[in-house]
Amino acid sequence: MSKSVVISIDAMGGDKGPPLVVAGLALALERLAGQDVRFLLHGDEGAIAPELAKYPAVAAVSEVRHTALKIASDEKAATALRRGKGSSLWNAVEAVKLGQAAAAVSGGNTGALMAISKLLLRMAGGLERPALVASWPTVRGVTAVLDVGANVTSDAAQLMEFAIMGEAFHRAVHGKSAARASVGLLNVGSEDIKGHEEVREAHRLLREAGLDIDYRGFVEGNDIAMGTVDVVVTDGFTGNVALKTAEGMARFFVTTLRETLTSTWVAKLGAVIASAALKRMRVRLDPSSVNGGPLLGLNGVVVKSHGGADAKGYANAVKMAADLAASDYAAQIALNLEKLGEALRSVRAAAETDS
Amino acid sequence: MSKSVVISIDAMGGDKGPPLVVAGLALALERLAGQDVRFLLHGDEGAIAPELAKYPAVAAVSEVRHTALKIASDEKAATALRRGKGSSLWNAVEAVKLGQAAAAVSGGNTGALMAISKLLLRMAGGLERPALVASWPTVRGVTAVLDVGANVTSDAAQLMEFAIMGEAFHRAVHGKSAARASVGLLNVGSEDIKGHEEVREAHRLLREAGLDIDYRGFVEGNDIAMGTVDVVVTDGFTGNVALKTAEGMARFFVTTLRETLTSTWVAKLGAVIASAALKRMRVRLDPSSVNGGPLLGLNGVVVKSHGGADAKGYANAVKMAADLAASDYAAQIALNLEKLGEALRSVRAAAETDS
């Protein structure tokens, strides 16, 4: 009998709290059928227990660890660090640190989750900042895009780190471990002269640092959904805007498609006949299917779920946490970082000399 | 009889040169049917003449001004300024300066177009930098997004200027002139504490400067396609990535829709029946329908067409130039800038004190 995979859950995180979280866990259990998964739920027992009562299958594999403390979604990260000890978010991450869980999931405050995870788990092998990675459905499969919101600015050395983390993540979770994942740097044009200073410097470093990465140079926004490369590297501001812009577009398309297919009775008839195929398409394009962004670069698996995700989206985040915990990502990046530590140090020194 | 609207064309600009440009003009003529439009084509007469021969309707309203000089798409803006005099792009803009044309269109080098336009036409009423604006189809109509690529970095004062220019543009071209256009500032969250320094400072200024603008605060990427506000303000790097990301998504959706509707014979049958409605949808979502970005802030109308636009996209850029030339945008922004000059000066002074 295999050992249980324990996932630590911030039951109070997200816009809707325990009702959505527990409904999401129920869906996640269905999607993880056959795997021996257990949940450690952190939060207000009085609010969690009635929800567990609705889903006996979840209750059967869950343990609740009560805490009344909760970090607000608009709390500054610095305040959360100072006053967040013992909160549901803090305890969810701490369970990973203590080896009680293989991964943590939270739909709470991104800044607080990043700061607390960094404090408790610490960065892996010399990395400087965590990055939030999105698994973006594309024409050719899945492209990993990072950072999508853990940082608001990123210098050239950090963009390098994102490339290393993203490459290992894509290989471990989405790729064939034999092949290298291709990496592109997001810019406003493909020529070397394009873009702001940080992105041009990162481009130069990625080409010259001799990393064991299949770096393909600059890519543009349209390359993301085209799946031109496996990993798209960008700063957290641009990445977050790009991800949310794409989600808006997905909603726009679904709305337009629905209007289109109910605009005339002939179209309605066609839609009924094609409905199974169109339903498959909706599922493929559903923005909540990209929910579940791991925070890369830490000694441990932490997955951020959108604050506004629905139960299906939350289930995807839990599934991502289970997949990542079961993958060899930690080993992949540990190996890479050992090999690449030297290059990273010289790059960082160069960046400091330049600035 | 009304006076002709003359549009000055950089016939050498864009990836495919005169064959695409002239085909685009033919489509533009159809779309502008009933309007008295004439074209002034700048470029290599030997390459333009055979194309005009294919489209007698275009030839009948066109005058060719020969020049052998052409600015390369990867030319740096500074070099283009120094050595670009007499090139097709330069001459196209100069015709606007000399009053020979009401607007210029180019599919050439964006940086060169911006630098040469700024030099020849100069900025309107105290504005500092031009901005490239995209007319983005949304759930609720059209949202103007700027800057989408004229600048790679933008400080708080420039973001303020973009708000003023974009508001006047939306009112003049897309809006009802009576109502004000609503304005949002693109960020990674809606709370005041979110985002990098420039965007938080611009937010403060837009709220406190007492401008006559319906400023709604921060918006996120998903708000663009949702049409939450009429005008979305952002720096040129983020805006360009967002626009191209959306274009990639549009192509992804069309690809997926096509696959979906040919996946089974039942779906195929449905698609045939719903085909007219689906065709309307494709037209509405076609990324080339957003082609044609005016460079705002100049004393004169200059429209940038994508270098890779097809003939339909190029026609849209020409139509945008004609619409903008016929609109009261110049008067709107002149009035606004006079009224807002004081606020702008104090804002810029504040930005300088802060830095």
Side-chain angles (χ1 to χ4, degrees), chain A residues 152-293:
Chain A
V152 285
T153 57
S154 311
D155 63 20
Q158 282 164 16
L159 292 170
M160 289 272 292
E161 294 190 356
F162 297 167
I164 293 166
M165 295 191 253
E167 202 270 344
F169 169 75
H170 193 279
R171 227 160 358 100
V173 175
H174 299 296
K176 295 128 199 134
S177 56
R180 292 190 304 177
S182 56
V183 177
L185 187 59
L186 194 58
N187 199 356
V188 297
S190 53
E191 301 88 4
D192 288 359
I193 57 157
K194 288 279 179 81
H196 50 59
E197 202 183 309
E198 290 79 10
V199 84
R200 280 183 284 127
E201 176 68 1
H203 178 56
R204 194 181 66 75
L205 293 171
L206 280 165
R207 281 188 311 182
E208 293 174 9
L211 304 181
D212 186 21
I213 279 187
D214 179 15
Y215 176 60
R216 303 282 177 90
F218 291 137
V219 294
E220 300 189 61
N222 51 308
D223 289 307
I224 303 176
M226 291 294 105
T228 308
V229 289
D230 297 320
V231 180
V232 171
V233 171
T234 188
D235 67 276
F237 189 90
T238 309
N240 184 277
V241 167
L243 180 66
K244 287 183 176 161
T245 298
E247 289 185 7
M249 288 299 286
R251 234 170 287 155
F252 176 36
F253 279 92
V254 171
T255 305
T256 307
L257 190 58
R258 194 181 300 126
E259 281 173 18
T260 301
L261 293 178
T262 52
S263 57
T264 65
W265 70 265
V266 177
K268 268 184 219 173
L269 179 62
V272 168
I273 294 176
S275 66
L278 290 173
K279 193 175 172 193
R280 280 198 303 279
M281 179 176 160
R282 270 205 298 277
V283 170
R284 183 168 168 200
L285 302 174
D286 187 342
S288 71
S289 74
V290 301
N291 191 42

Side-chain angles (χ1 to χ4, degrees), chain B residues 162-179:
Chain B
F162 297 167
I164 294 165
M165 294 191 253
E167 202 270 344
F169 168 75
H170 193 280
R171 229 163 353 105
V173 174
H174 299 296
K176 296 129 198 130
S177 55

Side-chain angles (χ1 to χ4, degrees), chain B:
Chain B
M1 203 185 116
S2 70
K3 201 167 153 281
S4 292
V5 172
V6 180
I7 302 182
S8 177
I9 303 287
D10 169 14
M12 311 311 283
D15 302 348
K16 287 167 200 151
L20 183 127
V21 167
V22 176
L25 293 178
L27 286 175
L29 269 191
E30 288 173 22
R31 299 194 49 196
L32 291 164
Q35 293 178 48
D36 184 5
V37 179
R38 303 188 66 82
F39 302 122
L40 215 48
L41 276 69
H42 305 267
D44 178 0
E45 190 156 27
I48 298 169
E51 302 306 323
L52 285 177
K54 296 179 194 163
Y55 297 98
V58 179
V61 297
S62 294
E63 179 187 331
V64 178
R65 301 248 175 118
H66 175 74
T67 175
L69 201 61
K70 177 186 180 309
I71 295 174
S73 65
D74 59 351
E75 190 87 83
K76 284 195 182 187
T79 319
L81 266 186
R82 241 181 8 252
R83 297 197 295 219
K85 189 167 182 181
S87 65
S88 60
L89 190 158
W90 183 292
N91 292 355
V93 175
E94 198 171 40
V96 175
K97 182 193 175 187
L98 298 174
Q100 299 168 348
V105 176
S106 174
N109 183 323
T110 306
L113 182 64
M114 175 168 135
I116 289 169
S117 299
K118 205 177 153 188
L119 177 75
L120 293 179
L121 300 176
R122 301 195 175 278
M123 298 302 297
L127 291 169
E128 203 171 318
R129 308 264 301 170
L132 203 53
V133 60
S135 294
W136 192 305
T138 74
V139 171
R140 301 165 104 182
V142 173
T143 288
V145 181
L146 75 169
D147 175 33
V148 294
N151 307 277
V152 285
T153 57
S154 311
D155 64 19
Q158 282 164 14
L159 292 171
M160 289 273 293
E161 293 191 356
F162 297 167
I164 294 165
M165 294 191 253
E167 202 270 344
F169 168 75
H170 193 280
R171 229 163 353 105
V173 174
H174 299 296
K176 296 129 198 130
S177 55
R180 291 191 304 178
S182 56
V183 177
L185 187 58
L186 195 57
N187 199 355
V188 298
S190 53
E191 301 89 4
D192 288 358
I193 57 158
K194 287 280 179 82
H196 51 59
E197 203 184 309
E198 289 79 10
V199 83
R200 279 184 284 127
E201 175 68 2
H203 178 57
R204 195 182 64 75
L205 293 171
L206 280 165
R207 281 189 310 183
E208 293 174 8
L211 304 181
D212 185 23
I213 278 187
D214 179 14
Y215 177 61
R216 303 282 177 89
F218 291 136
V219 294
E220 299 188 60
N222 50 310
D223 289 307
I224 303 176
M226 291 294 105
T228 308
V229 289
D230 297 320
V231 181
V232 171
V233 171
T234 189
D235 67 274
F237 189 90
T238 309
N240 183 277
V241 167
L243 180 66
K244 287 183 176 159
T245 297
E247 289 185 6
M249 289 298 287
R251 234 170 288 156
F252 176 36
F253 279 91
V254 171
T255 304
T256 307
L257 190 59
R258 193 181 302 127
E259 281 173 20
T260 301
L261 293 178
T262 53
S263 57
T264 65
W265 71 265
V266 176
K268 270 185 217 173
L269 179 62
V272 168
I273 294 175
S275 66
L278 290 173
K279 194 176 172 193
R280 281 199 301 280
M281 178 175 161
R282 270 205 300 276
V283 169
R284 184 170 167 198
L285 302 174
D286 186 342
S288 71
S289 74
V290 301
N291 190 40
L295 264 180
L296 297 182
L298 301 161
N299 290 306
V301 176
V302 175
V303 174
K304 170 75 173 75
S305 171
H306 284 200
D310 60 11
K312 204 173 68 183
Y314 197 86
N316 287 334
V318 173
K319 170 116 180 17
M320 171 60 76
D323 288 351
L324 199 52
S327 83
D328 60 346
Y329 172 73
Q332 295 266 14
I333 195 156
L335 271 175
N336 269 343
L337 284 179
E338 200 176 330
K339 199 163 54 181
L340 301 172
E342 186 60 35
L344 215 74
R345 272 188 293 278
S346 69
V347 157
R348 222 174 262 154
E352 270 158 29
T353 311
D354 283 2
S355 63

Side-chain angles (χ1 to χ4, degrees), chain A residues 26-349:
Chain A
L27 285 175
L29 270 190
E30 289 174 22
R31 299 194 49 195
L32 291 165
Q35 293 177 49
D36 184 6
V37 179
R38 303 188 67 81
F39 301 122
L40 214 49
L41 275 70
H42 304 267
D44 179 359
E45 190 156 25
I48 297 169
E51 302 306 323
L52 285 177
K54 296 179 194 164
Y55 298 97
V58 178
V61 298
S62 293
E63 179 187 332
V64 178
R65 300 246 174 121
H66 175 75
T67 175
L69 201 61
K70 178 185 179 309
I71 295 174
S73 65
D74 59 350
E75 190 88 83
K76 284 195 182 188
T79 319
L81 266 185
R82 240 180 9 250
R83 296 197 297 220
K85 190 169 182 180
S87 65
S88 60
L89 190 157
W90 183 292
N91 292 355
V93 175
E94 199 171 40
V96 175
K97 182 193 176 188
L98 298 174
Q100 299 168 348
V105 176
S106 174
N109 184 322
T110 306
L113 182 64
M114 175 168 136
I116 289 170
S117 299
K118 204 178 155 190
L119 177 74
L120 293 178
L121 301 176
R122 302 194 177 279
M123 298 302 297
L127 290 169
E128 203 170 318
R129 308 264 301 171
L132 203 53
V133 60
S135 294
W136 192 305
T138 74
V139 171
R140 302 166 102 182
V142 173
T143 288
V145 181
L146 75 168
D147 175 32
V148 294
N151 307 278
V152 285
T153 57
S154 311
D155 63 20
Q158 282 164 16
L159 292 170
M160 289 272 292
E161 294 190 356
F162 297 167
I164 293 166
M165 295 191 253
E167 202 270 344
F169 169 75
H170 193 279
R171 227 160 358 100
V173 175
H174 299 296
K176 295 128 199 134
S177 56
R180 292 190 304 177
S182 56
V183 177
L185 187 59
L186 194 58
N187 199 356
V188 297
S190 53
E191 301 88 4
D192 288 359
I193 57 157
K194 288 279 179 81
H196 50 59
E197 202 183 309
E198 290 79 10
V199 84
R200 280 183 284 127
E201 176 68 1
H203 178 56
R204 194 181 66 75
L205 293 171
L206 280 165
R207 281 188 311 182
E208 293 174 9
L211 304 181
D212 186 21
I213 279 187
D214 179 15
Y215 176 60
R216 303 282 177 90
F218 291 137
V219 294
E220 300 189 61
N222 51 308
D223 289 307
I224 303 176
M226 291 294 105
T228 308
V229 289
D230 297 320
V231 180
V232 171
V233 171
T234 188
D235 67 276
F237 189 90
T238 309
N240 184 277
V241 167
L243 180 66
K244 287 183 176 161
T245 298
E247 289 185 7
M249 288 299 286
R251 234 170 287 155
F252 176 36
F253 279 92
V254 171
T255 305
T256 307
L257 190 58
R258 194 181 300 126
E259 281 173 18
T260 301
L261 293 178
T262 52
S263 57
T264 65
W265 70 265
V266 177
K268 268 184 219 173
L269 179 62
V272 168
I273 294 176
S275 66
L278 290 173
K279 193 175 172 193
R280 280 198 303 279
M281 179 176 160
R282 270 205 298 277
V283 170
R284 183 168 168 200
L285 302 174
D286 187 342
S288 71
S289 74
V290 301
N291 191 42
L295 264 180
L296 297 183
L298 301 160
N299 290 306
V301 176
V302 175
V303 174
K304 169 75 173 75
S305 170
H306 284 199
D310 60 10
K312 203 174 68 185
Y314 198 86
N316 287 333
V318 174
K319 170 115 177 24
M320 171 60 77
D323 287 351
L324 198 53
S327 82
D328 59 347
Y329 171 72
Q332 296 267 13
I333 195 156
L335 271 175
N336 269 343
L337 284 180
E338 201 178 327
K339 198 162 56 180
L340 301 172
E342 185 59 36
L344 217 74
R345 273 189 294 278
S346 69
V347 157
R348 222 175 261 153

